[in-house]
């Protein structure tokens, strides 16, 4: 049995980028035999930058309903909230004590987010990767589906697992990142040099899975592209258009070259209209299911059962770790 695990922060409304980079690979793995999926809402990670209480609460609930709406199969997948399983904080501390400040300061996400903090940089923003390592290592995850931007955090997780195993004896499985070739880095629709991000201050840059359908279509139609009007995938010279072709390819499972062929005699306008309709249908389907889950009593039952199973796995691992280090009495 292979264990697949991933986390998503409730730091805003999840975007098409999150879906294509993290949720789609998760759903792909869910279709395979002999897998167990653990999916959690990384609320402890979200508070590494300031969050408003009421918004955080509603984002957590919204994300849970959206993950279910995207197609988590509860026969194979368990959904829980990170802060409801305290073993994450406990192993997180152990991982922090085995991390070096120098290696944490080199993390790209830390360097990017640090400069955006107006009220000071929290220590948690720096120690984010050891907590993420704990999230993964607690469950002996084999595969971690994530977008390209998390590759570096997966590498430090592997380093921390190996470092701990060498120091204290074989304890953790060394996990692999699972990153898809298409869709692992969706760019902003307003500025294709930046990644699409749910905490972007410009909503034109991202499509949220809960965007009004007409608003989402408009965002595609007004996405920044060049003026050459030739549908060709060329990341360097046509970053905006190539991003749209990537989204088209990921949502339809068509090869990039097939899309170029279909649109070889078309204009950008026609291509964008078609893509807007594809996205419209995709969002309508998810939003219908979302509306069911968000108002259903089932959600609490699902999250309770996910939490209990996660605690069962995580507490056993944590006990082993404490014992190996020599913490406590047993
Ligand atoms: P924030 O803006 O708050 O940092 P985010 O949009 O970057 O949020 P995360 O919660 O950090 O989203 O990421 C959740 C998952 O989505 C991760 O696996 C991440 O790699 C993936 N992801 C995030 N943005 C993109 C993107 N633009 N393209 C593909 N995958 C992405
Ligand atoms: N760091 C991730 C969210 C995250 C995560 C994890 C992903 C926290 N813990 C464990 C995979 C596995 C992010 O910012 N996207």
């Amino acid at each position: 049995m292979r264990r697949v695990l991933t986390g998503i922060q409730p730091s805003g409304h999840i975007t098409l980028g999150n879906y294509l980079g993290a949720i789609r690979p998760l759903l792909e793995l869910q279709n395979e035999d002999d897998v167990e999926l653990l999916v959690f809402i990384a609320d402890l990670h979200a508070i590494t930058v300031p969050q408003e209480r009421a918004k955080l609460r509603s984002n957590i609930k919204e994300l849970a309903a959206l993950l279910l709406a995207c197609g988590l199969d509860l026969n194979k997948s368990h959904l829980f909230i990170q802060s409801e399983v305290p073993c994450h904080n406990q192993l997180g501390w152990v991982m922090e004590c085995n991390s070096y400040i120098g290696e944490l300061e080199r993390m790209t996400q830390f360097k990017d987010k640090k400069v955006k903090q107006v009220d000071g940089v929290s220590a948690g923003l720096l120690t984010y990767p050891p907590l993420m390592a704990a999230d993964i290592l607690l469950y002996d995850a084999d595969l971690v589906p994530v977008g390209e931007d998390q590759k570096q955090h997966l590498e430090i997780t592997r380093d921390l697992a190996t470092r701990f195993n060498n120091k204290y004896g074989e304890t953790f499985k060394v996990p692999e990142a699972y990153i898809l070739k298409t869709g692992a880095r969706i760019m902003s629709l307003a500025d294709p040099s930046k990644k699409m991000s749910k905490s972007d201050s410009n909503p034109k840059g991202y499509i949220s899975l809960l965007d009004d359908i007409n608003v989402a279509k408009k965002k595609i139609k007004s996405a920044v592209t060049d003026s050459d009007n030739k549908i060709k995938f060329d990341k360097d010279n046509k970053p905006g258009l190539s991003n749209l072709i990537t989204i088209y390819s990921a949502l339809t499972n068509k090869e990039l070259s097939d899309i170029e062929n279909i649109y070889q005699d078309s204009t950008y306008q026609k291509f964008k209209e078609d893509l807007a309709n594809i996205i419209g249908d995709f969002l309508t389907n998810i939003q219908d299911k979302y509306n069911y889950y968000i108002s259903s009593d089932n959600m609490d039952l699902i999250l309770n059962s996910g939490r209990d199973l996660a605690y069962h796995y995580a507490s056993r691992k944590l006990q082993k770790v404490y014992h190996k280090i020599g913490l406590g009495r047993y």
Side-chain angles (χ1 to χ4, degrees):
M1 174 80 82
R2 281 171 312 155
R3 195 168 281 159
V4 173
L5 171 138
T6 201
I8 300 187
Q9 299 183 67
S11 47
H13 306 298
I14 58 168
T15 68
L16 192 61
N18 299 134
Y19 178 85
L20 295 178
I23 301 176
R24 201 171 64 106
L26 186 72
L27 298 175
E28 204 175 86
L29 289 167
Q30 187 176 249
N31 283 333
E32 295 187 4
D33 290 333
D34 269 348
V35 286
E36 180 182 43
L37 277 73
L38 294 165
V39 184
F40 67 92
I41 295 169
D43 55 348
L44 294 171
H45 278 98
I47 62 164
T48 54
V49 298
Q51 300 289 342
E52 223 178 86
R53 178 184 188 278
K55 244 195 210 154
L56 181 60
R57 268 285 152 88
S58 76
N59 284 341
I60 290 172
K61 213 173 153 206
E62 177 186 301
L63 181 50
L66 266 173
L67 284 163
L68 293 165
C70 286
L72 280 192
D73 169 359
L74 295 169
N75 291 314
K76 284 185 163 179
S77 300
H78 308 281
L79 177 64
F80 65 98
I81 300 173
Q82 184 187 29
S83 64
E84 293 186 0
V85 184
C87 313
H88 288 249
N89 311 59
Q90 293 169 295
L91 186 64
W93 176 251
V94 171
M95 288 296 135
E96 267 185 54
C97 294
N98 283 280
S99 306
Y100 300 111
I101 291 177
E103 64 188 346
L104 300 181
E105 281 172 340
R106 280 196 295 275
M107 293 290 114
T108 311
Q109 183 172 295
F110 172 66
K111 289 194 266 184
D112 287 350
K113 290 203 172 176
K114 173 172 101 164
V115 293
K116 294 186 193 148
Q117 304 311 309
V118 280
D119 294 324
V121 179
S122 75
L125 200 60
L126 179 69
T127 59
Y128 181 115
L131 178 60
M132 175 158 164
D135 297 337
I136 299 168
L137 302 179
L138 271 176
Y139 301 97
D140 281 331
D142 297 276
L143 289 174
V144 184
V146 280
E148 187 77 40
D149 61 309
Q150 294 302 313
K151 208 170 160 185
Q152 202 183 27
H153 287 165
L154 253 297
E155 272 155 24
I156 197 170
T157 298
R158 290 167 57 85
D159 289 347
L160 286 170
T162 310
R163 191 177 299 163
F164 192 98
N165 288 346
N166 289 340
K167 194 165 169 192
Y168 298 105
E170 205 57 29
T171 311
F172 296 120
K173 184 166 266 177
V174 181
E176 302 268 351
Y178 183 78
I179 299 176
L180 291 184
K181 264 202 232 119
T182 308
R185 190 172 173 80
I186 300 297
M187 309 311 283
S188 156
L189 301 176
D191 174 0
S193 67
K194 279 189 348 198
K195 116 182 154 93
M196 184 181 282
S197 167
K198 63 170 121 69
S199 52
D200 191 340
S201 54
N202 178 8
K204 285 194 180 151
Y206 59 83
I207 288 183
S208 149
L209 297 190
L210 294 178
D211 267 350
D212 173 88
I213 306 297
N214 287 323
V215 170
K217 286 182 170 180
K218 267 198 200 126
K219 287 184 186 176
I220 290 293
K221 289 181 191 163
S222 60
V224 170
T225 42
D226 56 276
S227 53
D228 167 53
N229 231 0
K230 196 144 182 43
I231 315 283
K232 183 126 195 56
F233 185 85
D234 178 348
K235 253 190 182 164
D236 296 332
N237 299 310
K238 292 164 162 282
L241 180 78
S242 301
N243 188 40
L244 297 181
I245 298 180
T246 302
I247 295 174
Y248 191 122
S249 162
L251 288 177
T252 59
N253 285 324
K254 286 194 165 75
E255 296 291 332
L256 301 177
S257 56
D258 291 341
I259 300 169
E260 287 176 344
N261 284 337
I262 298 171
Y263 291 98
Q264 59 179 334
D265 298 320
S266 292
T267 59
Y268 283 5
Q269 193 190 355
K270 164 76 176 130
F271 170 72
K272 282 179 167 180
E273 262 169 29
D274 287 358
L275 178 59
N277 288 332
I278 290 167
I279 289 181
D281 292 347
F282 167 76
L283 294 182
T284 304
N285 178 31
I286 287 188
Q287 291 178 12
D288 285 348
K289 294 189 186 130
Y290 170 82
N291 290 332
Y292 162 75
Y293 282 111
I294 199 73
S295 52
S296 140
D297 294 336
N298 255 351
M299 269 244 302
D300 272 332
L301 300 177
I302 293 168
L303 290 168
N304 287 348
S305 115
R307 174 200 61 205
D308 294 346
L309 183 84
Y311 182 77
H312 170 75
Y313 289 146
S315 56
R316 281 200 311 199
K317 182 58 112 187
L318 186 70
Q319 215 174 1
K320 251 191 208 161
V321 170
Y322 276 19
H323 179 75
K324 291 212 170 184
I325 299 176
L327 291 169
R329 285 177 292 158
Y330 306 109

